[in-house]
Amino acid sequence: MATTATMSITKLDDEMVRSMSIGAVFSDFGGKINSLDFHRKDDLLVTASEDDSVRLYDIANAKLLKTTYHKKHGADRICFTHHPNSVICSSRHNLESTGEALRYLSMYDNRCLRYFKGHKESFQGILHLRGRPTVAYDQQGLVFAVAMEGGAIKLFDSRSYDKGPFDTFLVGGDTAEVCDIKFSNDGKSMLLTTTNNNIYVLDAYGGEKRCGFSLEPSPNTTIEATFTPDGQYVISGSGDGTLHAWNINTRNEVAAWNSHISVAACLKWAPRRAMFVAASSVLTFWIPNNNSKPAAELAAGSTDAQAVAQSEQIG
């Protein structure tokens, strides 16, 4: 996998995206994977799942590096900090009794560096918004977008958010709740995913809708969509257990695959690699031109990556 995954992301085209297939499978999770994140500069992936585990992977070699368990607080949303051994993880358990909504964790020595007690103490600021908003920062951390009920997208300057939004967009014709929002790497586009499984690409400067796609509903699971690093393609899961890829410029679907893992609730493309990961209660690595084993066999059977995962796991 190391050789194939090192292909430059600058070479992405319809043919390469169409050739993506499963290269590795990790199926030893004890529940649904809640979230995952790539480190921006290092070849690392971190996951948080319903079995209260946080797992760190070497994506260049499809290897599980470390597993830690967090039974007291659980593991819900997770992301890397600037440091490859540090992550921010939100809690699932004991929120009322401890108030410890966020934890700053060291993966190096399995230590909590700091607790953040949500919405009342220790936070830098608070915005009072209606409904259940969804938030995303741009890659520079200077602007954050808040998607609200009714299809409103508000943009804030992170240095002066208390002055209110500097711009507001309306996603016309769709009032479904936005469950995920992302900026493209160049900051020029935004990607919205709604609870009724519509996805939209908006111009981040003017709010115009560049394209939109509808997918099969998934009543009990929210799906995730992702930009490729060059911002030219969108990949998404669907309620029927398929994955789809579109060319944003031509608005054409360039690929549709069987995910082999039912509905993919988590989906992200690696920042520096020609690969993406899709996850439900199983984690799959997708790479171009994989000529090893058929995807169905990889998903159903034991793989080298799976054996590595089980042998490398530490409690």
Side-chain angles (χ1 to χ4, degrees), residues 89-125:
C89 185
S90 67
S91 303
R92 295 180 64 235
H93 312 318
N94 301 313
L95 290 173
E96 293 298 324
S97 59
T98 67
E100 295 162 351
L102 292 177
R103 286 160 293 131
Y104 183 17
L105 304 175
S106 168
M107 294 297 291
Y108 175 73
D109 53 6
N110 191 23
R111 185 164 55 97
C112 184
L113 303 175
R114 184 177 176 185
Y115 292 102
F116 296 90
K117 297 190 175 182
H119 306 306
K120 294 183 180 179
E121 304 175 46
S122 304
F123 272 59
Q124 297 297 317

Side-chain angles (χ1 to χ4, degrees), residues 21-261:
S21 59
I22 294 176
V25 177
F26 299 86
S27 60
D28 59 337
F29 292 85
K32 181 173 71 75
I33 298 167
N34 294 320
S35 61
L36 49 82
D37 188 43
F38 288 102
H39 192 269
R40 231 180 253 188
K41 296 182 178 179
D42 288 23
D43 287 323
L44 296 171
L45 171 75
V46 67
T47 65
S49 63
E50 283 185 343
D51 61 4
D52 302 327
S53 71
V54 171
R55 306 184 189 212
L56 185 67
Y57 296 86
D58 170 357
I59 63 169
N61 299 293
K63 183 177 181 181
L64 174 63
L65 300 176
K66 191 168 190 177
T67 300
T68 61
Y69 286 93
H70 305 265
K71 296 298 183 182
K72 179 181 178 182
H73 295 93
D76 190 15
R77 315 304 297 176
I78 197 162
C79 67
F80 277 105
T81 65
H82 65 286
H83 196 285
N85 284 324
S86 299
V87 297
I88 301 288
C89 185
S90 67
S91 303
R92 295 180 64 235
H93 312 318
N94 301 313
L95 290 173
E96 293 298 324
S97 59
T98 67
E100 295 162 351
L102 292 177
R103 286 160 293 131
Y104 183 17
L105 304 175
S106 168
M107 294 297 291
Y108 175 73
D109 53 6
N110 191 23
R111 185 164 55 97
C112 184
L113 303 175
R114 184 177 176 185
Y115 292 102
F116 296 90
K117 297 190 175 182
H119 306 306
K120 294 183 180 179
E121 304 175 46
S122 304
F123 272 59
Q124 297 297 317
I126 186 168
L127 293 172
H128 296 280
L129 303 166
R130 69 180 187 271
R132 184 180 177 182
T134 302
V135 182
Y137 273 90
D138 72 347
Q139 293 295 315
Q140 288 71 42
L142 300 177
V143 173
F144 65 90
V146 180
M148 301 170 58
E149 64 181 23
I153 312 296
K154 296 181 180 292
L155 298 183
F156 293 83
D157 186 325
S158 60
R159 297 157 295 185
S160 55
Y161 60 87
D162 54 328
K163 296 180 180 178
F166 65 82
D167 208 346
T168 299
F169 308 145
L170 292 175
V171 184
D174 192 339
T175 58
E177 180 182 318
V178 174
C179 57
D180 188 45
I181 181 170
K182 292 182 175 73
F183 281 93
S184 59
N185 281 349
D186 60 11
K188 295 180 179 179
S189 301
M190 286 189 295
L191 178 62
L192 310 182
T193 308
T194 68
T195 52
N196 60 0
N197 288 5
N198 288 332
I199 59 177
Y200 301 100
V201 178
L202 306 183
D203 182 283
Y205 299 126
E208 293 86 3
K209 190 186 298 183
R210 295 184 61 189
C211 52
F213 311 102
S214 296
L215 296 150
E216 292 297 318
S218 52
N220 301 314
T221 305
T222 56
I223 63 169
E224 183 173 11
T226 183
F227 282 117
T228 52
D230 58 8
Q232 302 304 304
Y233 296 89
V234 168
I235 316 291
S236 175
S238 180
D240 59 1
T242 57
L243 302 175
H244 299 261
W246 296 271
N247 184 312
I248 294 173
N249 294 318
T250 64
R251 303 186 181 185
N252 292 329
E253 183 176 89
V254 298
W257 309 276
N258 184 341
S259 73
H260 298 283
I261 59 170

